[in-house]
């Protein structure tokens, strides 16, 4: 089969076993370096994609995307206010809520908790938390039964299981001296919430009517939770909805409470891409050393080729192809290894955690307790393509130097 001269010679030189041993070592190290750099970058990007997915699918589907809380007095006639909010642009669902911060007491153990008193039928439109709950999810909460659904980490710390009773210590009305006396309510654990992260140690849910009776609010509520059409515009949508609200309210969105997680993921992604591309670039520039030494070794052959009619362009292309072999093979090998390992990264890390007996992501610190992964084809193509382009750039100077050799000077030595 006919092959163009540069392709034939470039592939021949790259496969030659008679080359200098040091050149072979540098050539192999460049291939391995490119492969490892590409693989590491693909694994890192897959992990960042996984963290972003879990942030959206777990945290942002459990916590409210927007919140409006009464500044002073509780909100009366909340069904009418709910309908008003639903009419605002960008607001897709609204749920009434009473927020209670207190201490759970079980025996000698105490644990702080953020209880959200909700109307189950409305909360289902706001949150997907019931997908991570035992039993019937939100519908385990019945008015008048003082049932509570607790995060699994809370239940484990207090030694509770479904059906157990737990005391709730919460502030009550002010006494004559201006001091708040703690009030104790007995609740029954009717379900557990297991998201797999920090929220399991913070959140709890109870029925709205039970909280109204406990806080003596009557039929009033303390605020609303909102679901919006665009999570990345949650703050502006919530602010705009509050402009048309008849009560003075505190305005919050997930960007205030969890936005740092998204910003951290994007920052780590950017830093990692820059650093790992620098690693790949260093590996690619080993190609420069390989080709420079290869050109010096083949000066006589280059001179003979030029006297036989090979053009400078053909000589340049020959050494570009020789150098590109390592770059392309390293990029493809790294892409293959990165793609395969990223598909099994989560179980591999879980197995490593069991083996060494150490958890890398503490659920009390991080919003999840496992290393997620999600490979995007665009990331794979971007990383492999960048490695190949850098390999090509690394071949240009040695190839230009080879094409500039003068046959008479070389053959006259």
């Amino acid at each position: 089969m006919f092959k163009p001269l540069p392709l034939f010679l470039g592939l021949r030189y790259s496969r030659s076993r008679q080359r200098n041993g040091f050149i072979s070592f540098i050539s192999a190290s460049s291939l391995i370096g490119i492969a490892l750099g590409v693989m590491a970058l693909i694994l890192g990007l897959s992990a960042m994609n996984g963290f972003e997915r879990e942030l959206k699918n777990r945290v942002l589907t459990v916590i409210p995307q927007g919140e409006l809380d009464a500044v002073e007095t509780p909100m009366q006639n909340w069904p009418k206010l709910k309908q008003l909010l639903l009419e605002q642009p960008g607001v897709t669902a609204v749920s009434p809520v009473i927020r209670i911060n207190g201490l759970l007491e079980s025996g000698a153990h105490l644990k702080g908790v953020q209880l959200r008193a909700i109307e189950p039928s409305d909360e289902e439109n706001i949150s997907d938390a019931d997908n991570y709950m035992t039993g019937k999810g939100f519908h385990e909460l019945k008015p008048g039964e003082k049932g509570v659904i607790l995060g699994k980490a809370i239940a484990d710390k207090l030694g509770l299981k479904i059906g157990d009773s737990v005391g709730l210590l919460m502030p009550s009305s002010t006494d004559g001296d201006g001091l708040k006396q703690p009030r104790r309510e007995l609740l029954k654990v009717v379900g557990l919430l297991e998201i797999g992260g920090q929220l399991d140690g913070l959140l709890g849910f109870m029925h709205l009517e039970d909280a109204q009776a406990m806080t003596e609010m009557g039929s009033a509520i303390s605020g609303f939770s909102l679901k919006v059409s665009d999570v990345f515009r949650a703050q502006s949508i919530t602010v705009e909805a509050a402009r048309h609200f008849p009560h003075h309210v505190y305005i919050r969105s997930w960007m205030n409470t969890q936005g740092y997680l998204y910003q951290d993921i994007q920052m780590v992604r950017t830093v990692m891409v820059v650093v790992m591309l620098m690693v790949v670039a260093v590996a690619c520039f080993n190609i420069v050393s390989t080709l420079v030494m290869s050109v010096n070794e083949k000066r006589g052959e280059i001179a003979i080729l030029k006297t036989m009619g090979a053009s400078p362009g053909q000589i340049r292309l020959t050494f570009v192809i020789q150098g590109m072999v390592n770059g392309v093979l390293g990029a493809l090998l790294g892409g293959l290894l990165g793609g395969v390992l990223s598909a099994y990264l989560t179980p591999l890390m879980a197995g490593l955690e069991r083996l060494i007996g150490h958890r890398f992501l503490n659920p009390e610190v991080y919003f999840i307790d496992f290393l997620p992964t999600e490979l995007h084809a665009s990331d794979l193509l971007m990383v492999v393509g960048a490695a190949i382009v850098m390999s090509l750039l690394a071949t240009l100077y040695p190839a230009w130097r080879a094409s500039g050799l003068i046959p008479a000077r070389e053959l006259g030595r």
Side-chain angles (χ1 to χ4, degrees):
M1 180 179 178
F2 172 75
K3 291 183 180 178
L5 180 63
L7 179 61
F8 173 78
L9 291 176
L11 294 177
R12 181 185 178 89
Y13 287 163
S14 67
R15 295 195 303 266
S16 175
R17 298 185 180 180
Q18 298 178 352
R19 65 169 66 176
N20 183 289
F22 186 62
I23 298 177
S24 299
F25 171 76
I26 295 180
S27 177
S29 67
S30 68
L31 188 150
I32 294 172
I34 292 170
L36 290 178
V38 169
M39 180 189 72
L41 183 50
I42 290 173
L43 287 176
L45 289 176
S46 298
M48 291 301 103
N49 293 335
F51 277 113
E52 191 169 333
R53 180 198 65 207
E54 295 303 324
L55 176 64
K56 292 178 181 178
N57 294 346
R58 288 177 183 262
V59 177
L60 297 188
T61 58
V62 172
I63 66 170
Q65 296 172 4
E67 297 176 278
L68 299 178
D69 287 326
V71 173
E72 297 176 351
T73 59
M75 301 178 186
Q76 303 289 343
N77 194 18
W78 63 263
K80 182 178 179 180
L81 298 175
K82 172 189 170 184
Q83 187 59 40
L84 176 64
L85 288 173
L86 285 172
E87 295 171 358
Q88 304 307 312
V91 177
T92 59
V94 179
S95 177
V97 66
I98 296 175
R99 296 177 180 85
I100 301 175
N101 294 323
L103 283 175
L104 290 176
E105 175 190 37
S106 179
H109 301 287
L110 293 173
K111 181 71 173 74
V113 66
Q114 298 174 5
L115 283 179
R116 291 172 48 81
I118 49 93
E119 186 68 41
S121 58
D122 287 329
E123 191 69 15
E124 283 182 330
N125 299 324
I126 292 288
S127 170
D128 291 334
D130 56 350
N131 294 333
Y132 303 100
M133 292 178 179
T134 57
K136 299 177 182 178
F138 289 128
H139 291 282
E140 294 287 354
L141 301 173
K142 307 292 184 183
E145 296 184 1
K146 292 189 177 180
V148 63
I149 298 174
L150 297 177
K152 190 173 186 302
I154 298 176
D156 290 343
K157 185 168 184 178
L158 297 177
L160 298 172
K161 59 183 183 296
I162 296 176
D164 289 347
S165 295
V166 60
L168 172 64
L169 298 177
M170 52 184 288
S172 62
S173 56
T174 306
D175 65 12
D177 295 327
L179 299 176
K180 290 186 175 180
Q181 303 250 345
R183 179 177 175 180
R184 190 176 190 274
E185 296 284 347
L186 193 64
L187 307 178
K188 179 181 178 182
V189 180
V190 297
L192 298 177
L193 169 71
E194 186 173 8
I195 300 174
Q198 197 176 43
L199 294 180
D200 290 348
L202 296 173
L203 282 182
F205 294 88
M206 64 184 304
H207 200 281
L208 184 68
E209 292 185 17
D210 290 339
Q212 287 172 333
M214 289 165 45
T215 57
E216 300 177 352
M217 283 191 181
S219 61
I221 61 172
S222 64
F224 288 99
S225 299
L226 311 180
K227 185 175 182 179
V228 299
S229 56
D230 184 354
V231 292
F232 295 107
R233 293 183 55 244
Q235 182 71 18
S236 60
I237 292 175
T238 305
V239 169
E240 189 60 31
R243 295 184 191 279
H244 302 86
F245 202 66
H247 291 263
H248 294 293
V249 292
Y250 296 110
I251 302 170
R252 287 193 303 271
S253 74
W254 73 271
M255 295 296 292
N256 302 125
T257 58
Q258 306 291 333
Y260 69 93
L261 292 175
Y262 181 76
Q263 294 168 358
D264 288 350
I265 291 171
Q266 301 308 313
M267 181 184 68
V268 171
R269 184 201 300 273
T270 301
V271 172
M272 181 177 55
V273 168
V274 172
V275 171
M276 294 312 300
L277 283 181
M278 293 291 288
V279 171
V280 174
V282 171
C284 287
F285 277 98
N286 280 336
I287 295 174
V288 177
S289 303
T290 303
L291 286 184
V292 167
M293 288 186 287
S294 180
V295 168
N296 287 333
E297 189 181 47
K298 294 179 171 60
R299 297 175 76 95
E301 296 178 29
I302 296 169
I304 292 172
L305 286 170
K306 296 188 86 170
T307 59
M308 294 176 65
S311 66
Q314 289 177 312
I315 300 297
R316 281 195 296 270
L317 189 55
T318 295
F319 286 96
V320 167
I321 291 173
Q322 180 185 347
M324 285 292 292
V325 168
N326 281 349
V328 172
L329 287 179
L332 294 179
L333 179 61
L336 178 63
L337 290 175
V340 172
L341 290 177
S342 65
Y344 299 97
L345 185 60
T346 300
L348 285 174
M349 294 302 295
L352 181 60
E353 287 179 342
R354 289 192 296 269
L355 181 64
I356 65 177
H358 174 72
R359 177 171 283 182
F360 295 112
L361 297 179
N362 188 335
E364 294 183 0
V365 178
Y366 300 98
F367 70 96
I368 54 175
D369 60 356
F370 62 95
L371 186 64
T373 180
E374 181 176 322
L375 178 63
H376 292 172
S378 58
D379 290 337
L380 184 63
L381 293 175
M382 182 270 291
V383 175
V384 172
I388 291 175
V389 169
M390 284 189 288
S391 301
L392 173 62
L393 294 175
T395 66
L396 296 181
Y397 170 73
W400 171 80
R401 183 175 174 179
S403 68
L405 294 177
I406 301 173
R409 183 179 301 171
E410 300 302 323
L411 295 177
R413 290 182 178 182

